[in-house]
């Protein structure tokens, strides 16, 4: 990658750098692990620095968010296994917001149907535990109390799920 022009570096320092905490917070809220947030933000800066010009950028804050969103979408696409926590509605809708072609909608629906069939195929208690933990976000202790089972059983059922 060629070195960034001094004008671009100056533009990033004056117009983008102040928005880093907001992008960082958004990525964390989207379920990105803390150690990966720094990598994504750094990569976003690299992408900005590689721009030949910033004349087309009307809103530096929105542009910075869009670069980070695109990088996150690339990572999600490249990932072979995506943790359930990474597939929150906020993350999926934010990442795919601008990519809702009819083909993507059909593919997403098919993926959700496949996921629902997989969940439905679990044994009853395992399915209950999985839904309470991974979808509703309850703690193992809360699930154990609610279902009247030991926490170790909850842990085992989550792993099976």
């Amino acid at each position: 990658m060629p070195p960034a022009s001094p004008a671009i570096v100056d533009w990033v320092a004056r117009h983008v750098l102040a928005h880093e905490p907001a992008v960082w917070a958004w990525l964390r809220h989207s379920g990105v692990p803390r150690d990966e947030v720094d990598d994504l933000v750094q990569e976003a800066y690299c992408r900005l620095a590689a721009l030949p010009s910033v004349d087309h950028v009307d809103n530096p804050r929105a542009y910075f968010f869009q670069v980070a969103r695109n990088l996150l979408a690339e990572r999600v696409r490249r990932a072979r296994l995506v943790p359930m926590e990474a597939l929150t509605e906020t993350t999926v809708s934010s990442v795919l917001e601008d990519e809702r072609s009819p083909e993507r909608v059909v593919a997403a629906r098919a993926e959700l149907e496949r996921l629902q069939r997989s969940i439905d195929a679990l044994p009853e208690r395992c399915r209950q535990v999985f839904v309470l933990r991974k979808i509703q976000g309850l703690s193992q202790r809360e699930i154990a109390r609610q279902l009247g089972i030991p926490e170790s059983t909850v842990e085992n059922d989550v792993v099976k799920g």
Side-chain angles (χ1 to χ4, degrees):
M1 179 168 96
S5 77
I8 300 290
V9 171
D10 181 58
W11 179 85
V12 169
R14 285 186 293 111
H15 299 286
V16 176
L17 195 59
H19 304 295
E20 180 179 331
V23 170
W24 208 93
W26 174 79
L27 287 167
R28 284 293 296 141
H29 179 75
S30 296
V32 177
R34 185 176 298 272
D35 59 321
E36 291 182 30
V37 170
D38 290 329
D39 291 342
L40 284 168
V41 170
Q42 185 65 36
E43 179 65 21
Y45 282 130
C46 289
R47 296 270 174 106
L48 292 170
L51 292 172
S53 166
V54 291
D55 295 338
H56 66 285
V57 180
D58 295 325
N59 184 336
R61 182 181 198 279
Y63 197 85
F64 189 28
F65 268 88
Q66 187 63 48
V67 169
R69 187 176 297 124
N70 290 346
L71 289 167
L72 181 58
E74 286 175 24
R75 284 200 180 191
V76 169
R77 279 188 224 111
R78 281 192 314 243
R80 289 179 186 228
L81 295 174
V82 179
M84 289 295 291
E85 293 82 3
L87 293 176
T88 64
E89 182 177 325
T90 304
T91 302
V92 172
S93 66
S94 295
V95 169
L96 301 178
E97 186 175 275
D98 297 326
E99 301 178 20
R100 288 200 174 127
S101 68
E103 295 83 10
R104 289 191 68 83
V105 170
V106 169
R109 285 187 182 145
E111 182 68 20
L112 285 173
E113 288 173 9
R114 188 171 67 83
L115 178 62
Q116 186 62 54
R117 283 193 308 272
S118 296
I119 292 171
D120 290 344
L122 294 171
E124 178 62 30
R125 187 189 69 219
C126 185
R127 180 175 53 249
Q128 284 180 308
V129 168
F130 182 83
V131 168
L132 290 171
R133 180 75 179 120
K134 295 295 185 178
I135 297 174
Q136 294 183 13
L138 297 180
S139 71
Q140 289 187 38
R141 179 169 288 156
E142 291 169 320
I143 296 168
R145 207 172 317 147
Q146 184 174 335
L147 298 180
I149 58 177
E151 279 187 62
S152 61
T153 303
V154 171
E155 185 175 351
N156 289 337
D157 283 351
V158 168
V159 170
K160 287 177 193 173

